[in-house]
């Protein structure tokens, strides 16, 4: 069997994805994306699950988007069932970049409420990209049920996902603004402010909402 230069380059690139030097891994991912080959897909997906460097992960995602969806979609959907949170998170991120709505049924309530914040955040962003119009309200209900969750970054991600769904969230966020839990109320109020004024800073919005939520209580905030 004749070994071509293309075969040699492929072997070199695949080995580079496992190199201990992040700059080598970055170059390998760039090379794989520049010359897509179905043989690369499994290795790219596997590396996404364990790659510690953000910039390399981003390049791995880019490389996957350069391959045919027929090759990448099944592999990425399989990763959503992984026990490894990074595998789920990165697969979701890559699906959001590919944007193929055939992946929508795989964005389950379990992923949207994953106990790992990074997985959940990735699921929210991906869901907003892939959701069919007829499923928008149902998605908004799933997301508003998690208002008050996590720290600043998690809350900001959830607010951004909700705002991206548009005015359909208004009654749901309004109801959450009257919840007994002050964290839920504050997050709902901040999200509603961002819906009205997308340029408003989340930090200012959440701090102002916290004051309202604590001082006025749930009986006053729906006004």
């Amino acid at each position: 069997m004749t070994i071509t230069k293309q075969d040699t380059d492929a072997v070199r690139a695949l080995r580079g994805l496992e190199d201990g030097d992040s700059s080598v891994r970055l170059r390998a991912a760039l090379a794989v994306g520049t010359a897509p080959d179905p043989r690369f897909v499994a290795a790219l997906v596997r590396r996404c699950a364990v790659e510690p460097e953000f910039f390399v992960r981003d390049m791995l995602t880019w490389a996957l988007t350069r391959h045919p969806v027929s090759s990448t979609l099944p592999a990425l959907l399989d990763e959503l069932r992984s026990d490894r949170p990074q595998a789920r998170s990165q697969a979701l991120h890559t699906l959001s970049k590919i944007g193929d709505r055939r992946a929508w049924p795989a964005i389950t309530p379990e992923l949207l409420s994953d106990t790992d914040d990074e997985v959940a955040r990735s699921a929210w962003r991906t869901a907003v990209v892939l959701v069919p119009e007829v499923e928008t309200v149902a998605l908004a209900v799933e997301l508003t049920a998690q208002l008050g969750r996590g720290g600043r970054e998690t809350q900001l991600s959830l607010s951004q996902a909700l705002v991206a769904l548009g005015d359909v969230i208004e009654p749901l966020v309004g109801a959450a603004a009257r919840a007994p839990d002050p964290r839920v109320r504050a997050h709902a109020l901040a999200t509603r402010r961002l819906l009205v004024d997308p340029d408003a800073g989340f930090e200012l919005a959440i701090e102002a909402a916290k004051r309202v939520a604590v001082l006025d209580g749930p009986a006053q905030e729906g006004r």
Side-chain angles (χ1 to χ4, degrees):
M1 181 176 64
T2 302
I3 299 176
T4 66
K5 181 179 183 299
Q6 186 178 14
D7 291 329
T8 303
D9 290 344
V11 170
R12 184 181 298 114
L14 291 173
R15 286 177 178 169
L17 292 176
E18 306 295 330
D19 196 273
D21 186 333
S22 62
S23 64
V24 174
R25 299 197 303 275
L26 185 67
R27 289 195 298 272
L30 175 61
V32 169
T34 302
D37 185 317
R39 292 174 295 177
F40 295 146
V41 170
L44 289 169
V45 172
R46 283 197 304 271
R47 189 65 208 176
C48 282
V50 298
E51 173 55 51
E53 298 294 332
F54 169 80
F55 292 110
V56 180
R57 291 199 303 271
D58 216 35
M59 188 65 76
L60 291 167
T61 285
W62 172 80
L64 283 164
T65 66
R66 297 270 296 163
H67 287 75
V69 175
S70 59
S71 297
T72 57
L73 191 59
L76 292 168
L77 294 180
D78 282 345
E79 285 294 276
L80 299 184
R81 297 188 290 272
S82 172
D83 291 334
R84 189 187 295 270
Q86 183 172 305
R88 301 195 300 276
S89 176
Q90 197 65 24
L92 285 162
H93 174 65
T94 306
L95 288 169
S96 75
K97 296 300 182 182
I98 292 172
D100 192 308
R101 286 188 168 175
R102 287 176 294 179
W104 167 249
I107 311 303
T108 61
E110 290 76 20
L111 284 172
L112 293 170
S113 60
D114 199 285
T115 55
D116 186 281
D117 283 347
E118 190 57 41
V119 176
R121 290 170 61 192
S122 295
W124 302 336
R125 290 190 293 265
T126 306
V128 167
V129 171
L130 301 180
V131 63
E133 186 175 353
V134 295
E135 300 281 355
T136 302
V137 173
L139 176 59
V141 170
E142 290 276 358
L143 297 187
T144 52
Q146 298 187 70
L147 286 166
R149 170 180 175 167
R152 180 194 176 281
E153 291 301 320
T154 298
Q155 293 197 1
L156 174 58
S157 291
L158 183 55
S159 291
Q160 289 172 332
L162 283 165
V163 168
L165 295 177
D167 292 339
V168 68
I169 73 167
E170 174 59 38
L172 298 167
V173 173
R178 299 187 293 274
D181 187 336
R183 281 178 55 85
V184 174
R185 296 200 305 271
H187 194 184
L189 288 166
T191 302
R192 186 161 64 181
R193 179 173 178 178
L194 289 178
L195 179 64
V196 174
D197 181 9
D199 294 326
F202 182 75
E203 199 68 48
L204 292 176
I206 196 70
E207 289 305 319
K210 283 178 181 177
R211 290 194 293 272
V212 174
V214 171
L215 294 175
D216 288 355
Q220 302 296 320
E221 288 146 11
R223 296 182 302 179

